[in-house]
Amino acid sequence: MSPLRAVAAIAALVVGIGSATPPASAGARAPITVGSLTLQPCETSDLAWCATVRVPFSYADPAAGTTGIYFEWFPATENAQGTVLAVQGGPGYSSTDYRDDYLAMLGPLTRTRNVLIADLRGTGRSDPVRCPRLQKVTPSDGNQAYIDAVGACGRSLNRARQRPDGSYVRGADLYTTANSARDVARLLDLLAPGRVDLYGDSYGTYFAQVFASRYPARLRSVTLDAAYPVLGADPFYPDAIDTARTAFDVACARSTGCDGWETIERMVAAVRAAPVSGETEDPDGTPVHATVDVDAMVQLVLAAGPDSGVYRELDPAIRAYLDRGDERPILRLAARTIFPDEDSGPAAEWSAGLYAAVTCNDYPQPFSYTGDRLQQYREAVDALPEGMFAPFTVAEWTSSAAEEFDACLKWPKPAVDDPPIVSGAPLVPPSLPVLVLSGELDSLTTPADGRAVAGQMGPHAQWVQVANMIHVAAMVDYVGCAEGLVRTFIRRPAEPVDASCAAAMPEVRLVGGFPAKRAQAVPAVAGEGNEAGAGALRLAAIGAAVVEDAIWQWYYVSVDRGVGLRGGTFRIEGDDPVYALTFRGIRWTEDVKVSGSGKWNRETGRVTATLDVVADGGQKAAVTVAYDDYEPDATITITGTSGGKDIVATAT
């Protein structure tokens, strides 16, 4: 897995970081005892009890003191038959910030399973690593600023705590996955839950491999969602670009039949000659300036792995620009997806310092910590085949703000070797059941990575590729297949999982095109009983496009409202699973306004909307749009009237 700051931000956005349960009245509940620990009611959830345990900061040096490990314990609501331990990715994210996502994924399992969620050392409420300079670096500051800040962070960790004799602890060496595994093993010893079912996603799968290889006896099963290898990873992660080439073609072939990767190649050549730059809005409607150059294209390609919205819009946005000079769609996509001036936010949500420490201590580097690192790095880059990242050059790919191949050039040389895994494959005994899930379109932790991890875990491990899915299949699964596989596996881990649903996941519904004018819109397809002409059918198709676009944009807004592609506003309000939709003067094209209301059921995927679609020239249509968003090859049905004539049509 390539460590990508920009992509990590997108992944958190799509999954829903920070969606914590509103603070509960903790005082109304009594403490409970679990194992040898007394847990207090959590302020973060009325379902959980919490504590912070102290563990050795260095397991080899008692004089180094201790560090805190915070965790939340959600007792089974009925008769407990076991415990699920959930670990979040990053590295650097707070696992407990994702409590609602884990509970939703596990669903009915929480009736018979306790759920344990722990912030790994240096994250969340577990004494998060705080390196303010690094936390505030933005991609627009440039790679050298990031390299310098990473080095400064490591040096500060080596001067952050003293032993009783006044000497300093080399803290930069101690934020490793191996130490996190030791911490969690110590926590399990104290809680005494018996053998647990370990679920890890993204970097959580890296942790899970390390923990399982070191402490298999503490585990009943292991689920790795969006896995990548601890063993044998290439420091330049060539699988990322290989998967992207295929994934864009697959997404196009299964939806609108667009050109996929060939379109991206055309755009890279175009912006290499002349970047696109202009004014647009971010998802909340704030005016921003966006630029699409070669580096932006690298970032967009890689962002698709954890963000299916890029698959949905990149090809048609490029075609709108290259074919008609329409900059609006590609600039909007860039402003939504790339955050050149956004820092890492609070360290308690995502610790940039912990991320750097794990990256530099555990991940493979294209140089060694002895000798001239910069020279070694340059030689490693020079040795790469020129077409390795085509259509991007090696220089363009390796110097992109999305990549961090050189991030650790100034990290302090570790004084002690503490590798994540000390054994070879197979990493766990055959008696330990393992399920590995990979999203077919995930270019961050690729299907090839997942298959390799399954092989390294042992011949008994089951690998499942989930069609049309992106990064972390079970945590962003609104259809229920991947999360259902996790639940089934945890219930009966010794039995093979029937994964037939994984091949039938709905495709990413790509935008067919971004028409700038009504006349450029493809009319809806007339059905039996339709009386309306092509002009009215174009209005009907524009209305349907507005509904789909608003629902997609909702995932990116920080509040409950956003803006249309070319003007107007929408609101999406309500409580799960049913949301109310309101559209006010949305302009999908420059010369048509769409207003109206509707409902969206996020549990079933059913969308309905009643719209007034008005062209600047005076033609109007009143239509009702309905479709099932979670159905493969879903058809949008459109009924209504225009000029006294019935509209009966469909769109895809």
Side-chain angles (χ1 to χ4, degrees):
M1 183 198 74
S2 177
L4 311 169
R5 282 171 287 154
V7 172
I10 289 290
L13 181 72
V14 172
V15 172
I17 187 169
S19 56
T21 303
S25 54
R29 296 178 290 139
I32 63 172
T33 298
V34 182
S36 62
L37 297 178
T38 298
L39 313 185
Q40 301 296 327
C42 295
E43 295 181 353
T44 54
S45 172
D46 59 5
L47 301 175
W49 280 257
C50 307
T52 297
V53 299
R54 307 302 300 182
V55 299
F57 187 52
S58 169
Y59 284 84
D61 180 9
T66 64
T67 189
I69 301 299
Y70 169 81
F71 67 93
E72 297 178 357
W73 176 266
F74 295 80
T77 57
E78 296 176 4
N79 293 325
Q81 299 175 13
T83 298
V84 177
L85 167 62
V87 180
Q88 185 48 254
Y93 285 120
S94 161
S95 293
T96 58
D97 266 357
Y98 288 81
R99 63 181 70 80
D100 290 353
D101 299 286
Y102 289 127
L103 295 176
M105 177 189 69
L106 294 170
L109 271 182
T110 59
R111 294 198 294 265
T112 57
R113 299 296 192 282
N114 308 310
V115 179
L116 170 61
I117 308 175
D119 289 342
L120 299 183
R121 70 162 53 198
T123 72
R125 300 188 182 195
S126 293
D127 294 343
V129 173
R130 300 184 187 275
C131 291
R133 176 181 171 187
L134 179 60
Q135 199 77 22
K136 294 178 180 178
V137 169
T138 68
S140 63
D141 294 326
N143 284 357
Q144 190 58 53
Y146 185 71
I147 293 169
D148 292 342
V150 167
C153 175
R155 292 190 296 273
S156 72
L157 293 177
N158 283 342
R159 303 281 293 181
R161 83 165 58 197
Q162 289 180 286
R163 300 181 182 87
D165 64 6
S167 62
Y168 285 98
V169 177
R170 289 188 59 86
D173 297 359
L174 298 176
Y175 292 98
T176 64
T177 309
N179 272 335
S180 289
R182 296 178 183 112
D183 299 340
V184 173
R186 181 72 61 96
L187 175 60
L188 292 179
D189 287 345
L190 295 171
L191 291 170
R195 294 187 301 145
V196 301
D197 297 291
L198 174 55
Y199 170 90
D201 60 273
S202 194
Y203 167 76
T205 70
Y206 191 100
F207 167 86
Q209 292 169 68
V210 173
F211 188 89
S213 72
R214 290 171 175 266
Y215 305 104
R218 287 176 167 84
L219 299 175
R220 176 174 173 267
S221 73
V222 179
T223 302
L224 307 176
D225 190 350
Y228 63 102
V230 178
L231 300 178
D234 186 314
F236 289 104
Y237 306 98
D239 283 347
I241 187 72
D242 289 342
T243 300
R245 292 186 186 110
T246 301
F248 277 95
D249 286 343
V250 165
C252 274
R254 293 177 184 168
S255 184
T256 61
C258 51
D259 292 333
W261 193 252
E262 182 180 335
T263 303
I264 291 171
E265 292 175 334
R266 291 171 58 208
M267 189 65 172
V268 171
V271 299
R272 185 180 287 128
V276 185
S277 190
E279 304 307 313
T280 184
E281 295 86 30
D282 70 10
D284 293 335
T286 303
V288 294
H289 186 83
T291 297
V292 180
D293 53 15
V294 172
D295 187 45
M297 288 300 299
V298 173
Q299 295 187 60
L300 285 168
V301 164
L302 288 171
D307 180 7
S308 55
V310 180
Y311 286 118
R312 179 179 184 269
E313 296 185 26
L314 183 55
D315 185 286
I318 291 173
R319 287 187 280 113
Y321 172 68
L322 294 181
D323 298 346
R324 299 194 316 271
D326 183 4
E327 301 176 351
R328 186 72 180 175
I330 192 67
L331 291 178
R332 180 182 75 157
L333 180 59
R336 190 188 75 198
T337 306
I338 302 171
F339 310 99
D341 299 313
E342 189 165 312
D343 62 27
S344 300
E349 291 183 2
W350 183 70
S351 169
L354 188 280
Y355 176 91
V358 172
T359 298
C360 296
N361 284 318
D362 290 349
Y363 289 3
Q365 303 297 327
F367 54 83
S368 72
Y369 283 118
T370 59
D372 188 333
R373 301 183 197 178
L374 181 58
Q375 180 62 28
Q376 293 175 39
Y377 175 73
R378 288 172 175 167
E379 291 173 354
V381 171
D382 290 344
L384 296 175
E386 183 52 41
M388 186 172 183
F389 305 112
F392 307 99
T393 68
V394 168
E396 289 167 344
W397 188 267
T398 58
S399 64
S400 170
E403 294 288 9
E404 300 174 4
F405 305 126
D406 54 0
C408 299
L409 285 172
K410 294 189 176 182
W411 184 261
K413 176 185 176 182
V416 177
D417 185 23
D418 189 19
I421 287 177
V422 294
S423 63
L427 298 180
V428 298
S431 58
L432 181 60
V434 178
L435 175 66
V436 182
L437 301 176
S438 296
E440 183 185 21
L441 305 181
D442 183 2
S443 56
L444 183 57
T445 55
T446 70
D449 288 336
R451 186 191 292 270
V453 168
Q456 292 170 359
M457 295 299 281
H460 55 288
Q462 183 174 356
W463 175 70
V464 177
Q465 177 174 277
V466 186
N468 300 311
M469 283 298 290
I470 54 169
H471 190 60
V472 187
M475 288 270 281
V476 292
D477 176 16
Y478 302 118
V479 178
C481 172
E483 67 179 19
L485 296 179
V486 173
R487 295 170 188 171
T488 298
F489 175 69
I490 291 175
R491 286 191 187 99
R492 298 180 294 277
E495 301 177 14
V497 174
D498 178 2
S500 56
C501 70
M505 291 289 287
E507 75 285 359
V508 178
R509 293 171 59 86
L510 271 66
V511 177
F514 286 103
K517 302 289 186 180
R518 174 179 53 149
Q520 297 166 350
V522 176
V525 178
E528 184 177 353
N530 179 73
E531 300 171 344
L537 292 174
R538 285 192 173 90
L539 294 182
I542 289 170
V546 163
V547 176
E548 283 199 288
D549 188 66
I551 286 175
W552 271 91
Q553 301 312 313
W554 176 83
Y555 288 101
Y556 305 94
V557 298
S558 61
V559 287
D560 58 8
R561 60 186 179 274
V563 295
L565 174 63
R566 305 180 197 275
T569 61
F570 67 83
R571 296 183 72 92
I572 300 182
E573 305 170 282
D575 297 319
D576 278 332
V578 179
Y579 287 78
L581 314 174
T582 305
F583 311 97
R584 295 179 179 173
I586 296 285
R587 288 188 181 268
W588 181 248
T589 66
E590 297 168 354
D591 52 2
V592 175
K593 286 185 178 181
V594 179
S595 299
S597 61
K599 289 185 178 181
W600 172 31
N601 188 318
R602 288 189 66 212
E603 184 173 86
T604 65
R606 182 66 175 174
V607 179
T608 59
T610 301
L611 309 169
D612 291 319
V613 188
V614 181
D616 287 352
Q619 188 174 14
K620 301 178 182 180
V623 297
T624 296
V625 172
Y627 65 98
D628 292 308
D629 197 32
Y630 302 158
E631 290 295 320
D633 302 315
T635 296
I636 302 173
T637 61
I638 308 171
T639 58
T641 60
S642 177
K645 295 183 178 181
D646 289 341
I647 298 174
V648 181
T650 60
T652 56

